[in-house]
Amino acid sequence: MKISKIFLSLAGAIAILSTTTYYYVFILGAPQLDPPQKQADTGLKFQIETFNSQAMGTVRQYGVILPPNYQKNPQTRYPVIFLLHGGHDDARAYADKYAIISVLHELYKTGKLPPSIIITPDGNDNRGSSPLYDPDYYDGTNGKIAALIGLELVQVVKSRYRTLEQPQFWALGGLSSGGWGAFNIGLRYLNNFNILFSHSGYFTDNSGAQNSPLQIVQQLSIVDKKRLRIYLDAGLNDSNLLASTKAFHQVLNKLNIANVFYAFPGGHGLSGADIGWNYFHKHLKDSLSYVGEQFKAAKK
């Protein structure tokens, strides 16, 4: 009898801990207990900029990291990478949480990524950022986020910075719900983005098939399918997201769309070398190296 009570108490404690942990990570968007280290003295600077958005009817923010020596090379034009955040995040997330500047510094130093203009949009809709729901990365009742990012912000970036114009030099990617957003938006704007990537994202959305990349990609023309270059990864701990990513990868293979897919240890969570912010920090090096390969191939 005593053993049964101890077992039940232990099981109850584990259940409470699991529920609390889930709430802490996925609902509250709690800080990482062991965030990735930010490298100092990289020479790179993250800054927030604003623009007047007609799509959203308000002033919007985006983050930008210009390539090394941007000001010293006034005749040089650069490729562009948009990075979409996940739920309960904003335009600062890649700099503040995922140490993107350290990633870029390493990739530039090793030559795995050509110097690029990095843009981190605020992907939140009219409801604002909340721990209770993911952003609506589409044009719907909560705002025209797809038009904001896939069309309007592209034109803002082209007008403000020295960009390469062709879509093979433009990449759009994201993590978690930002991974879904990158494909939901990118597949609609292939005249602006030819390279798409996702980290532990998903590829169907409960708003319907119209916002499910799994459905959209199958409706593309042969020409558009040939233009696409896709990187996918998912954490082994994120079983549902892993399954969704793998299913999308299999569809891409059937459609003969160029893509790579990796299942890595870890995923969403609180702490650990392969967990949470550390997972995304580590594997941004993989996705951006892939993007770098595509930029180099396009230049040839």
Side-chain angles (χ1 to χ4, degrees), residues 217 219-226:
V217 74
Q219 301 166 13
L220 297 178
S221 68
I222 294 175
V223 172
D224 282 342
K225 291 174 185 175
K226 287 182 178 179

Side-chain angles (χ1 to χ4, degrees), residues 232-253:
L232 305 167
D233 76 46
L236 294 172
N237 292 8
D238 295 331
S239 55
N240 290 338
L241 302 177
L242 176 61
S244 180
T245 303
K246 186 174 182 180
F248 189 67
H249 160 66
Q250 291 170 341
V251 168
L252 294 177
N253 284 345

Side-chain angles (χ1 to χ4, degrees), residues 7-287:
F7 177 77
L8 289 173
S9 297
L10 182 60
I14 292 173
I16 292 172
L17 180 61
S18 297
T19 301
T20 302
T21 300
Y22 178 87
Y23 187 81
Y24 186 63
V25 176
F26 292 101
I27 303 301
L28 295 181
Q32 182 85 11
L33 299 181
D34 55 349
Q37 296 298 308
K38 298 178 182 178
Q39 188 170 347
D41 302 322
T42 63
L44 300 174
K45 180 183 178 183
F46 174 85
Q47 59 190 51
I48 290 290
E49 300 290 353
T50 62
F51 68 101
N52 293 315
S53 170
Q54 292 184 0
M56 295 296 289
T58 187
V59 174
R60 298 288 297 198
Q61 289 188 337
Y62 67 91
V64 58
I65 306 169
L66 294 175
N69 299 317
Y70 180 83
Q71 303 300 341
K72 294 181 179 180
N73 299 307
Q75 304 304 316
T76 304
R77 292 188 169 273
Y78 298 90
V80 181
I81 304 171
F82 277 34
L83 298 173
L84 302 188
H85 61 74
H88 49 72
D89 271 338
D90 56 26
R92 296 198 60 90
Y94 279 88
D96 292 349
K97 295 183 177 182
Y98 313 120
I100 185 63
I101 285 182
S102 299
V103 173
L104 294 171
H105 178 68
E106 179 179 330
L107 295 182
Y108 291 157
K109 190 175 180 180
T110 58
K112 292 183 178 180
L113 177 68
S116 303
I117 297 169
I118 310 299
I119 303 293
T120 62
D122 177 1
N124 291 300
D125 51 57
N126 284 331
R127 298 170 299 170
S129 178
S130 171
L132 301 176
Y133 46 74
D134 286 342
D136 281 350
Y137 278 114
Y138 57 84
D139 293 346
T141 56
N142 292 315
K144 297 181 178 179
I145 294 295
L148 170 80
I149 294 172
L151 184 62
E152 192 173 48
L153 186 53
V154 168
Q155 296 307 315
V156 169
V157 170
K158 286 184 175 181
S159 69
R160 293 184 176 182
Y161 309 104
R162 299 192 308 274
T163 69
L164 291 169
E165 298 293 310
Q166 304 95 319
Q168 59 265 40
F169 294 107
W170 286 66
L172 173 62
L175 53 88
S176 196
S177 59
W180 160 66
F183 281 82
N184 197 37
I185 295 172
L187 291 174
R188 303 173 192 275
Y189 292 99
L190 289 178
N191 285 336
N192 291 335
F193 301 95
N194 281 180
I195 307 167
L196 306 177
F197 57 97
S198 167
H199 299 280
S200 274
Y202 48 90
F203 299 89
T204 60
D205 183 68
N206 58 15
S207 64
Q210 72 275 14
N211 295 311
S212 295
L214 191 64
Q215 301 296 324
I216 299 171
V217 74
Q218 299 181 63
Q219 301 166 13
L220 297 178
S221 68
I222 294 175
V223 172
D224 282 342
K225 291 174 185 175
K226 287 182 178 179
R227 298 164 70 186
L228 271 170
R229 299 293 183 270
I230 291 175
Y231 170 99
L232 305 167
D233 76 46
L236 294 172
N237 292 8
D238 295 331
S239 55
N240 290 338
L241 302 177
L242 176 61
S244 180
T245 303
K246 186 174 182 180
F248 189 67
H249 160 66
Q250 291 170 341
V251 168
L252 294 177
N253 284 345
K254 290 180 182 177
L255 296 173
N256 293 316
I257 294 175
N259 77 100
V260 296
F261 163 66
Y262 302 99
F264 293 121
H268 290 73
L270 283 172
S271 65
D274 297 307
I275 301 298
W277 300 0
N278 292 324
Y279 179 93
F280 298 124
H281 172 80
K282 177 182 289 187
H283 298 302
L284 276 166
K285 297 176 185 178
D286 296 307
S287 63

